[in-house]
DNA sequence: CGACAGATAAACAGAT
DNA sequence: GATCTGTTTATCTGTC
């Protein structure tokens, strides 16, 4: 794994460093070959843009990883993950794993003012770069023309001199291009950081001193930012038409040229021609989309007589005109691709933000013991996650973001439950929305293997699973476990063997694994030995709000988790009460959490193709083969629980409480 | 600082 | 022989 990552890192680094020279080489070759048509230059421009974005994202990732608050805790993790994070950049400009996004979301690097300044700088840089590219292209054309004219022998000497001059000029421009690109890269990675961080700004962080603008930007403001960026492109269109170039304005950042020799070396041409940003450049698919647009009565990009393409707002009197405008102004080119790319990022960030906010809401509700009417369930402006509702093993029809509360958790005929149990149930709903999240996002679930295995087994009606079925549960329930199969499967086996709470039961067909719940609870109880009196004597459900510190709440949650688990497991399998959506899975106590909620992608792979992010991003992940055989395994139960005498009391107590829930 | 839990890797053996 | 399953050991990291 490490070797693979290292290799990818090296490759990617080479790509980044040589990308421009490679492009220059392509430009050179194109000039000599006389392929300087508009189409060719478009492709090269898009390649350049792609490279720039790759570099920007790479720089952003590296910057994030270098920040101490970036979430990487151990030096080893750093060593392992830094190259992996970088290697992700190979997959494409948009490939940001959810972990990275989470990481990015925690960064509030720039103030909005700084961002605006960056945006402006970005616009200026892009303008200048367009100038340079255009001028460079013209130089190539000129060179090509002169090469053609060399067939006239009389003018050869003079033309050779001109050619040398042109070559020298090209060197200069290549350097300028590179430097512009470097500058843009720096700005863009800051911009990327901020654009992604902006969305998490409402997370309660206080505004930095000296900031006058609100830190949290609404989607509308984001769109405005977006317009700012795209407006630059629109401006470019106009500027590019100018044949003359004021190169003096572009030299501000090109005073130092340290890599001229590297630039002049023409690297082997890169093959980016197949797709730009993962989009096929074939016109067939585009035509299909146009047809779809025409057949559809309403177009998402058309409303109130205005083109809703981000940053456009062109007035179109009728739909036909809009279609014409759409095909003319927003055809498949670099600009549209880049705009679409930005929009994808916006959507992605919003989606993740939504998930986080929803989770926060549930946590707040659980913490405050609120009724359902008080919190407003966050609406779903984006159907990206929820659209991928693979609720095969989710018997519930209740949406995951619908807050379940203790009061409504049980039916009216249900006996009153202790406050601790209520608290447990409220925690059940707390993390309920995460089901879809973990199912679709490549985020490591914050639960221990033991907890997950137990959940997998308990979700089964017979409370037993074969090893392969446990594997399948992991892969179907968590996107994270759809890769690195060797690692986590080994861990699953290891945990099954290690923990006495997992009991292997032989039968005719083979073996199934069951959970010795008493042993499981005993193991949990053992962890509470640090504060046994706290666990046993605390008035559960009494004001565990603001007055309780974290450890106290943790202890409380820990003490109530077994009940929670049992209640919800039972509900998921039989009674179908409030936790019928199998969200009992996530009713974990802090002890059950593996402390890696922000666990980063450890191998540089990103979301599987069928994750909602994969729908938006050009991600290609080597999928682990899914073995989803669901053979029934009748069993003869054999229990082998060892009970520690000193813990039997509490164990029994908890067991009784658990049964009370049932 | 040590104990402990959890994760990860790996070796190994038996079964399929 | 390859693969799967299960056990065991070792190491590292984070937490208490």
């Amino acid at each position: 794994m490490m070797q693979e990552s290292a290799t990818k890192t090296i490759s990617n680094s080479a790509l980044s460093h040589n990308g421009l020279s490679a492009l220059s080489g392509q430009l050179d070759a194109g000039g000599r070959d006389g392929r300087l048509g508009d189409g060719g230059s478009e492709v090269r421009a898009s390649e350049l843009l792609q490279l720039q974005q790759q570099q920007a994202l790479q720089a952003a990732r590296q910057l994030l990883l270098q920040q101490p608050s970036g979430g990487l805790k151990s030096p080893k993790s750093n060593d392992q993950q830094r190259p992996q994070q970088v290697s992700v950049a190979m997959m494409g400009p948009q490939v940001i794993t959810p972990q990275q996004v989470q990481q990015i979301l925690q960064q509030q690097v720039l103030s909005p003012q700084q961002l605006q300044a960056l945006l402006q700088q970005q616009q200026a840089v892009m303008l200048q770069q367009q100038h340079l590219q255009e001028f460079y292209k013209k130089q190539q054309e000129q060179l090509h023309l002169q090469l053609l004219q060399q067939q006239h022998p009389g003018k050869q000497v003079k033309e050779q001199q001109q050619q040398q001059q042109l070559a020298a000029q090209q060197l200069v421009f290549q350097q300028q291009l590179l430097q512009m690109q470097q500058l843009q890269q720096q700005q863009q990675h800051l911009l990327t950081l901020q654009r992604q961080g902006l969305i998490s700004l409402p997370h309660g962080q206080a505004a930095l001193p000296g900031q006058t603008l609100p830190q949290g930007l609404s989607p509308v403001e984001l769109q405005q930012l977006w317009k700012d960026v795209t407006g630059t492109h629109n401006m470019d269109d106009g500027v590019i038409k100018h044949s003359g170039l004021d190169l003096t304005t572009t030299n501000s950042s090109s005073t130092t040229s340290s890599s001229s020799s590297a630039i002049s070396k023409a690297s082997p041409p890169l093959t980016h021609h197949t797709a730009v940003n993962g989009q096929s450049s074939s016109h067939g698919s585009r035509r299909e989309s146009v047809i779809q647009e025409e057949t559809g009565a309403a177009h998402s990009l058309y409303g109130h007589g205005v083109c809703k393409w981000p940053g456009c707002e062109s007035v179109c009197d009728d739909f036909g005109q809009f279609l014409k405008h759409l095909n003319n102004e927003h055809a498949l080119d670099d600009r549209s691709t880049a705009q679409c790319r930005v929009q994808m990022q916006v959507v992605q960030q919003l989606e993740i933000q939504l998930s986080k906010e929803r989770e926060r809401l549930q946590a707040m509700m659980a913490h405050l013991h609120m009724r359902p009417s008080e919190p407003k369930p966050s609406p779903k402006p984006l159907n990206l996650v929820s659209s991928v509702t693979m609720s095969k093993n989710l018997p519930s029809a209740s949406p995951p973001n619908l807050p379940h509360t203790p009061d409504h958790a049980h039916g009216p005929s249900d006996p009153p439950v202790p406050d601790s149990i209520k608290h447990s149930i409220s925690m059940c709903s707390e993390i309920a929305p995460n089901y879809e999240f973990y199912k679709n996002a490549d985020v490591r679930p914050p639960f221990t293997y033991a907890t997950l295995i137990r959940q997998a087994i308990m979700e089964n009606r017979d409370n037993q699973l074969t090893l392969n079925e446990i594997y399948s549960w992991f892969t179907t329930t968590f996107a994270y476990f759809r890769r690195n199969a060797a690692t986590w499967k080994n861990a699953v086996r290891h945990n099954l063997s290690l923990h006495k709470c997992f009991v292997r039961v032989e039968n005719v067909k083979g073996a199934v694994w069951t959970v010795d719940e008493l042993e499981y609870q005993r193991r949990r109880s053992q962890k509470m030995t640090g504060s046994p009196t706290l666990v046993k004597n605390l008035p559960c459900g009494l004001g565990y709000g603001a007055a309780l510190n974290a450890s106290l709440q943790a202890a409380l949650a820990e003490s109530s988790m077994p009940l929670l688990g049992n209640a919800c497991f039972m509900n998921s399998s039989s009674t179908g009460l409030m936790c019928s959506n199998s969200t009992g899975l996530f009713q974990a106590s802090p002890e059950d959490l593996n402390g890696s909620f922000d666990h980063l992608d450890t191998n540089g792979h990103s979301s599987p193709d069928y994750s909602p992010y994969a729908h938006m991003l050009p991600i290609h992940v080597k999928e682990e083969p899914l073995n989803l055989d669901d053979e029934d395994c009748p069993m003869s139960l054999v229990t082998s629980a060892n009970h520690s005498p000193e813990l039997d009391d509490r164990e029994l107590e908890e067991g009784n409480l658990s049964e009370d829930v049932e």
Side-chain angles (χ1 to χ4, degrees), chain A residues 17-32 44 48 52 128-129 131-137 139-140 143 165-183 247 250-251 253-254 256-267:
Chain A
H17 288 140
N18 298 331
L20 183 64
S21 57
L23 280 179
S24 301
Q26 279 189 302
L27 285 173
D28 279 331
R32 289 189 203 97
R44 293 184 195 104
L48 194 63
Q52 290 166 358
Q128 294 169 358
Q129 193 163 16
H131 287 174
L132 280 175
Q133 289 177 10
E134 188 69 17
F135 189 71
Y136 185 66
K137 194 176 76 177
Q139 290 291 326
Q140 292 288 342
L143 179 62
Q165 287 178 350
L166 274 174
Q169 280 181 315
Q170 284 179 4
L171 268 181
V172 172
F173 291 131
Q174 284 172 344
Q175 295 169 19
Q176 289 172 344
L177 266 177
L178 179 66
Q179 287 155 1
M180 294 296 296
Q181 191 173 355
Q182 288 172 344
L183 180 62
L247 289 177
T250 66
N251 284 337
S253 61
S254 59
T256 59
S257 64
S258 58
S259 55
S260 59
S261 61
I263 299 169
S264 58
K265 279 188 198 169
S267 300

Side-chain angles (χ1 to χ4, degrees), chain A residues 112-155:
Chain A
Q113 288 172 329
Q114 290 172 314
L115 176 67
Q116 283 196 341
L118 272 176
L119 281 170
Q120 291 171 357
Q121 290 179 7
Q122 176 95 358
Q123 293 174 6
V125 167
M126 292 179 74
L127 264 175
Q128 294 169 358
Q129 193 163 16
Q130 291 283 359
H131 287 174
L132 280 175
Q133 289 177 10
E134 188 69 17
F135 189 71
Y136 185 66
K137 194 176 76 177
K138 290 186 179 305
Q139 290 291 326
Q140 292 288 342
E141 289 174 352
Q142 194 174 348
L143 179 62
H144 176 61
L145 284 176
Q146 290 178 351
L147 281 172
L148 291 176
Q149 289 170 357
Q150 278 183 2
Q151 295 168 356
H152 304 282
K155 301 176 181 176

Side-chain angles (χ1 to χ4, degrees), chain A residues 521-542:
Chain A
Q521 304 305 339
R522 188 175 70 85
R523 185 177 67 87
R524 299 166 57 87
S525 301
Q526 280 179 321
K527 297 175 189 174
M528 298 299 295
T529 52
S531 56
T533 56
L534 175 75
V535 176
K536 301 194 73 170
N537 299 334
L538 265 179
C540 294
L542 277 183

Side-chain angles (χ1 to χ4, degrees), chain A residues 283-304:
Chain A
H283 289 269
S285 58
R286 178 179 148 199
R287 193 155 300 167
E288 284 177 10
S289 66
V290 170
I291 292 173
Q292 288 176 350
E293 290 161 5
E294 286 170 349
T295 54
H299 199 290
S300 300
L301 291 173
Y302 182 66
H304 301 93

Side-chain angles (χ1 to χ4, degrees), chain A residues 212-406:
Chain A
T212 55
L213 294 173
Q215 225 182 7
L217 291 190
S218 66
V220 176
E221 289 166 309
L222 263 175
Q223 289 295 328
Q224 185 56 45
L225 277 176
W226 206 99
K227 285 179 189 175
D228 291 341
V229 178
T230 55
T232 303
H233 293 277
N234 292 334
M235 285 171 60
D236 290 348
D237 285 349
V239 171
I240 288 175
K241 291 187 176 72
H242 293 288
S243 57
L245 272 178
D246 184 7
L247 289 177
T248 58
T249 61
T250 66
N251 284 337
S252 59
S253 61
S254 59
T255 52
T256 59
S257 64
S258 58
S259 55
S260 59
S261 61
I263 299 169
S264 58
K265 279 188 198 169
S267 300
L270 302 177
T271 54
H272 293 288
H273 57 278
T274 53
V276 176
N277 189 27
Q279 299 184 7
S280 170
S281 58
S282 72
H283 289 269
S285 58
R286 178 179 148 199
R287 193 155 300 167
E288 284 177 10
S289 66
V290 170
I291 292 173
Q292 288 176 350
E293 290 161 5
E294 286 170 349
T295 54
H299 199 290
S300 300
L301 291 173
Y302 182 66
H304 301 93
V306 171
C307 173
K308 287 185 175 179
W309 186 276
C312 177
E313 294 182 359
S314 299
V315 178
C316 303
D317 293 331
D318 53 20
F319 190 70
Q321 188 179 350
F322 160 73
L323 284 178
K324 198 173 179 180
H325 160 81
L326 193 65
N327 291 330
N328 289 336
E329 300 298 324
H330 308 301
L332 180 57
D333 55 8
D334 325 343
R335 194 186 71 185
S336 299
T337 303
Q339 290 172 331
C340 187
R341 203 174 287 166
V342 173
Q343 183 68 15
M344 284 196 298
Q345 286 196 352
V346 169
V347 169
Q348 185 182 5
Q349 299 308 320
L350 287 172
E351 181 182 341
I352 293 171
Q353 173 70 8
L354 171 65
S355 176
K356 290 174 78 77
E357 291 298 326
R358 191 179 292 159
E359 181 185 342
R360 177 194 299 264
L361 168 66
Q362 299 295 343
M364 291 167 64
M365 290 171 55
H367 177 70
L368 299 176
H369 223 185
M370 287 171 71
R371 290 184 299 275
S373 56
E374 295 177 71
K376 229 168 53 176
S378 55
K380 285 188 167 185
L382 299 165
N383 263 344
L384 293 164
V385 171
S386 57
S387 64
V388 193
T389 308
M390 305 175 288
S391 304
K392 183 188 78 173
N393 51 352
L394 286 181
S396 165
S398 61
N401 62 337
L402 200 63
H404 300 280
T405 61

